[in-house]
Amino acid sequence: MNKIALIYMGGTFGCIGEPLSPMPESTFIPQLQQLLPTKYQTIVSCFQAASIKDSSACTAQDWLQLIQQIQTLQLQNFQHFIIIHGTDTLSYASAVLAQFLQQSCHVILTGSQFPLLNIEGTALRSKTDALDNLNTSLEAITQIKAGVYLSFHQQVFYAQTAFKVHTTDLNAFNGIAIQEEYQDFSSKALLPLHVEMMHIEKANMLNIINWMMLPIEKDQLSQNLKQLLNQVPDFLIIQAYGTGNLAVNDEIINLFQQLRTLGCQTILTTQVLHGGIDQRYAISQWIKETGILLSNSHTQADLYAKILKIYLQYPTSEQWHDHWQ
């Protein structure tokens, strides 16, 4: 059978005690190995990630180090990987791995709403979804096509499409399941990116501002945009209404143009979870004047992953714009 690398990256899955706190990975990983189903004992090798932390604290650096670890293990003939990760940013981790690894190997990310072990950390917890999520991932990892996926509550989703829908429920994630017909045109024919130290160092400098629009007057939006002129981000994401609708005036259009001149790429997306953006309406004709980019990503996490990759691939703001599609 195929060798499987199981990489532990922290999260509720590996917590013990009351209140919950992370069990030291040197103690947790042997416990994890013992709880693997018998048929996987000899083919699964457990590893700790370079960065183990609460997933709400994870950033691009942590996920790039994980990709680097996966790419190193590929040289040791591992092609199947299961990642245990906290649920807060599980969709972001999945989307980043999907963008960077593409179809170069088989990867499933999973986590849990309850810890694997009891309060003392000595045995399997009586009420836990951790083992079930892990077993689902183990059963699926050698059956799926090459690519990156997120597994939760007996479901396996395409990583680019997955998003968290509930803070505490066991059925916490949604997306396009592997049983559904799906073709990811946004990353068609893209090659994996081999992660090097220079990418990790550069990622620390990436500055993204995300605004979910609320009903305020245009004059207030103008004032907010003017504040950005003092410290310009690399990317400004505008989560507009409906199909990407945003009411603007000449001053707002001018401010978007100024931001682009100063090196900020503005990306228009929608705060609606399903359906994507559609620029049929006259209210959006201003987009052509400003050169704003349109999101073609499945989720907010997928958009973040695309921004990160294009930021690391190309050195200038105008190249980010030119290569966006």
Side-chain angles (χ1 to χ4, degrees), residues 229-275:
L229 297 177
N230 299 320
Q231 190 169 353
V232 180
D234 298 305
F235 294 88
L236 170 63
I237 300 172
I238 300 290
Q239 288 183 267
Y241 307 107
T243 58
N245 299 319
L246 181 68
V248 298
N249 56 26
D250 289 342
E251 184 178 26
I252 292 172
I253 291 172
N254 180 259
L255 287 165
F256 279 130
Q257 291 170 331
Q258 287 185 58
L259 283 168
R260 181 177 174 186
T261 301
L262 293 172
C264 172
Q265 292 298 332
T266 301
I267 303 168
L268 183 69
T269 185
T270 175
Q271 52 193 262
V272 182
L273 287 176
H274 299 290

Side-chain angles (χ1 to χ4, degrees), residues 199-218:
H199 296 126
I200 297 173
E201 292 172 352
K202 185 179 179 183
N204 291 335
M205 303 301 294
L206 174 60
N207 185 15
I208 306 171
I209 290 179
N210 180 84
W211 285 353
M212 177 182 281
M213 290 293 101
L214 295 173
I216 60 173
E217 294 295 329
K218 296 187 187 76

Side-chain angles (χ1 to χ4, degrees), residues 128-163:
T128 180
D129 59 328
L131 189 59
D132 185 47
N133 288 344
L134 177 58
N135 287 339
T136 299
S137 302
L138 287 167
E139 291 294 329
I141 191 64
T142 56
Q143 307 300 319
I144 55 174
K145 295 179 181 179
V148 181
Y149 304 84
L150 187 155
S151 173
F152 218 88
H153 195 55
Q154 300 181 354
Q155 301 172 89
V156 181
F157 306 106
Y158 293 98
Q160 300 94 323
T161 72
F163 54 95

Side-chain angles (χ1 to χ4, degrees), residues 76-306:
Q76 301 172 27
N77 295 321
F78 284 97
Q79 290 300 322
H80 297 80
F81 302 88
I82 294 174
I83 314 300
I84 295 173
H85 191 284
T87 61
D88 283 348
T89 54
L90 181 58
S91 61
Y92 284 86
S94 302
V96 170
L97 265 63
Q99 277 285 352
F100 281 75
L101 293 171
Q102 295 294 322
Q103 287 79 45
S104 63
C105 54
H106 305 73
V107 181
I108 295 179
L109 292 93
T110 192
S112 66
Q113 297 285 47
F114 293 96
L116 178 69
L117 302 176
N118 59 14
I119 292 176
E120 297 78 19
T122 56
L124 182 68
R125 185 184 173 108
S126 59
K127 180 185 177 182
T128 180
D129 59 328
L131 189 59
D132 185 47
N133 288 344
L134 177 58
N135 287 339
T136 299
S137 302
L138 287 167
E139 291 294 329
I141 191 64
T142 56
Q143 307 300 319
I144 55 174
K145 295 179 181 179
V148 181
Y149 304 84
L150 187 155
S151 173
F152 218 88
H153 195 55
Q154 300 181 354
Q155 301 172 89
V156 181
F157 306 106
Y158 293 98
Q160 300 94 323
T161 72
F163 54 95
K164 194 171 185 180
V165 295
H166 202 286
T167 55
T168 57
D169 195 81
L170 296 184
N171 190 17
F173 286 85
N174 205 336
I176 299 178
I178 57 172
Q179 296 87 355
E180 301 176 55
E181 187 174 343
Y182 165 71
Q183 187 169 2
D184 183 17
F185 293 104
S186 66
S187 62
K188 187 177 181 181
L190 292 181
L191 297 174
L193 178 63
H194 184 76
V195 173
E196 299 178 4
M197 187 54 63
M198 64 177 182
H199 296 126
I200 297 173
E201 292 172 352
K202 185 179 179 183
N204 291 335
M205 303 301 294
L206 174 60
N207 185 15
I208 306 171
I209 290 179
N210 180 84
W211 285 353
M212 177 182 281
M213 290 293 101
L214 295 173
I216 60 173
E217 294 295 329
K218 296 187 187 76
D219 289 346
Q220 300 304 321
L221 177 56
S222 294
Q223 291 303 315
N224 292 338
L225 287 168
K226 286 177 183 176
Q227 294 297 316
L228 297 183
L229 297 177
N230 299 320
Q231 190 169 353
V232 180
D234 298 305
F235 294 88
L236 170 63
I237 300 172
I238 300 290
Q239 288 183 267
Y241 307 107
T243 58
N245 299 319
L246 181 68
V248 298
N249 56 26
D250 289 342
E251 184 178 26
I252 292 172
I253 291 172
N254 180 259
L255 287 165
F256 279 130
Q257 291 170 331
Q258 287 185 58
L259 283 168
R260 181 177 174 186
T261 301
L262 293 172
C264 172
Q265 292 298 332
T266 301
I267 303 168
L268 183 69
T269 185
T270 175
Q271 52 193 262
V272 182
L273 287 176
H274 299 290
I277 60 176
D278 185 344
Q279 297 303 303
R280 293 175 293 175
Y281 299 99
I283 197 172
S284 299
Q285 291 300 312
W286 59 273
I287 291 172
K288 294 180 181 178
E289 299 177 41
T290 58
I292 281 180
L293 299 170
L294 301 180
S295 172
N296 61 353
S297 299
H298 300 281
T299 64
Q300 190 76 350
D302 189 33
L303 177 57
Y304 168 83
K306 181 174 181 178

